[in-house]
Amino acid sequence: MSKVVLSLKNLATRYGQIYALKGISLDVCEGEIVTLLGSNGAGKSTTLKTISSLVPACSGKVEFYGKDITNAPPHDIVEMGIIHVPEGRRIFKELNVQENLEMGSFTLKDDAERKRRMDRALDLFPVLKERRKQMGGLLSGGEQQMLAIGRALMTNPKVLLLDEPSMGLAPIIVQGIMDIIKQINEQGTTILLVEQNAKAALKLAHRGYVLETGEIVMEGNADVLSKDDSIVKAYLGH
Ligand code: ATP
């Protein structure tokens, strides 16, 4: 059994009086891709935001390798190696591709290490290599998503929290991004993937959880979930 990297224990988060998470528990083990599925407003983004302390938990716990990191300052969480790639690919539109990537490692003093990480990101995303000097804002949606993931990789994360990387992209581009997420995982990064595109996510993930109005209603191996009738009906469009 591999080590649990990230563990949510009865985690609750609210916006004002409204509970977006009503006490959820889930584990992500070393080397896994775990996907969190659910429809609009289920609480998927809030889960990632609570892990990275962008919104405060009101009860329960977030543990990283067994250590309680609930509501730790966001920069400490980044420092520990938990990197959140938010929905909507917030890249720097006025900076070029290379500068955007460098922003992911601006605190790093070691230039050789920065170069090694840059080479790795550019090898994973050859399109970005070709467009190194192009402004971020001029990239296509898919390329901006790649850049957002590439920038996260520049921090050499232990865990990547990916919020809907497929959002708004054509199916062929989605497949390309999913293939790269798989490669990143095979190179040793643990991934928690939030997706509305359940089909693509379950193809890629080892395990999954289904969230409905702030509660986990189902969990299991991805191949089991992808054959489950209620999931097929609700999320796989049959
Ligand atoms: P989506 O795919 O649409 O992003 P989601 O599953 O990620 O959905 P969340 O964004 O986590 O869902 O939202 C969960 C609930 O919390 C929703 O009811 C949403 O309206 C509410 N919510 C989210 N952000 C805020 C906020 N900043 N203030 C108030 N309510 C919020």
Side-chain angles (χ1 to χ4, degrees):
M1 183 74 187
S2 42
K3 254 192 198 162
V4 176
V5 180
L6 198 59
S7 184
L8 310 187
K9 298 197 161 134
N10 219 5
L11 190 69
T13 302
R14 61 188 164 91
Y15 298 106
Q17 294 308 309
I18 312 281
Y19 279 81
L21 298 180
K22 299 169 184 164
I24 65 164
S25 298
L26 66 81
D27 288 332
V28 183
C29 296
E30 213 159 50
E32 270 192 316
I33 301 179
V34 171
T35 185
L36 191 56
L37 306 173
S39 43
N40 265 327
K44 305 181 300 298
S45 299
T46 300
T47 304
L48 299 191
K49 286 178 188 164
T50 312
I51 295 169
S52 50
S53 272
L54 298 179
V55 297
C58 60
S59 61
K61 265 193 209 171
V62 179
E63 289 180 354
F64 183 58
Y65 286 108
K67 182 178 172 215
D68 186 355
I69 61 161
T70 324
N71 298 333
H75 60 89
D76 285 353
I77 290 180
V78 169
E79 195 84 356
M80 288 174 211
I82 303 174
I83 306 297
H84 185 172
V85 182
E87 199 175 73
R89 5 181 214 273
R90 301 203 196 113
I91 58 152
F92 299 99
K93 294 200 160 65
E94 309 297 325
L95 299 182
N96 71 28
V97 165
Q98 183 168 339
E99 290 161 344
N100 263 281
L101 291 172
E102 283 166 356
M103 289 303 273
S105 64
F106 74 98
T107 56
L108 189 69
K109 304 268 184 316
D110 182 343
D111 286 339
E113 175 62 15
R114 181 184 348 270
K115 183 173 182 313
R116 199 189 62 74
R117 292 182 193 178
M118 175 78 72
D119 289 346
R120 177 190 175 210
L122 294 175
D123 284 346
L124 276 164
F125 300 106
V127 187
L128 297 183
K129 203 181 220 165
E130 287 163 25
R131 299 197 187 344
R132 276 175 104 115
K133 299 294 174 198
Q134 189 162 320
M135 289 296 150
L138 297 178
L139 300 176
S140 70
E143 290 159 359
Q144 290 189 14
Q145 183 62 64
M146 292 178 196
L147 185 53
I149 297 174
R151 188 178 60 195
L153 289 178
M154 291 295 287
T155 64
N156 208 19
K158 293 195 177 72
V159 182
L160 264 186
L161 310 176
L162 297 177
D163 198 346
E164 299 219 23
S166 79
M167 191 171 64
L169 305 179
I172 177 122
I173 311 286
V174 171
Q175 194 49 55
I177 301 251
M178 293 294 167
D179 289 345
I180 292 166
I181 294 172
K182 184 158 190 253
Q183 278 185 52
I184 293 169
N185 172 252
E186 285 168 355
Q187 292 174 4
T189 309
T190 301
I191 293 173
L192 179 56
L193 171 69
V194 157
E195 261 302 336
Q196 279 206 46
N197 185 340
K199 197 169 184 177
L202 287 172
K203 228 161 99 184
L204 182 70
H206 302 101
R207 288 188 307 115
Y209 293 83
V210 180
L211 201 56
E212 261 176 32
T213 56
E215 287 174 290
I216 287 173
V217 293
M218 205 181 289
E219 63 176 280
N221 285 338
D223 54 340
V224 176
L225 290 181
S226 63
K227 292 187 194 101
D228 184 277
D229 277 350
S230 59
I231 300 229
V232 170
K233 257 198 213 128
Y235 304 107
L236 297 177
H238 294 295

